[in-house]
Amino acid sequence: MQLLIDYDEKGKVIYLLLCRYFSDFEFRAIAPVKTISEPNFSQLLNNFKQTTKF
């Protein structure tokens, strides 16, 4: 499984998608996309940037 993370800094929204891989080329979402917006957006984005190469 893999958690895919994307963000829209202008719109201040983080998108999280949990996927399951069936092969190197086939994967499917196993849960609906979760969105995180303000007031949590800025804090969470800063945490991501500090702990990963985001």
Side-chain angles (χ1 to χ4, degrees), residues 19-50:
C19 293
R20 180 175 175 200
Y21 282 81
F22 296 94
S23 70
D24 289 343
F25 303 101
E26 182 184 359
F27 65 95
R28 294 184 204 136
I30 61 170
V33 174
K34 298 288 184 181
T35 59
I36 299 171
S37 55
E38 288 294 6
N40 300 325
F41 170 84
S42 296
Q43 180 181 2
L44 188 57
L45 186 60
N46 285 335
N47 290 344
F48 282 148
K49 287 181 176 180
Q50 289 175 8

Side-chain angles (χ1 to χ4, degrees), residues 3-8 11-18 31-41 44 48:
L3 178 63
L4 302 175
I5 303 170
D6 197 9
Y7 69 99
D8 175 1
K12 296 192 181 280
V13 178
I14 296 173
Y15 303 96
L16 306 171
L17 179 62
L18 186 61
V33 174
K34 298 288 184 181
T35 59
I36 299 171
S37 55
E38 288 294 6
N40 300 325
F41 170 84
L44 188 57
F48 282 148

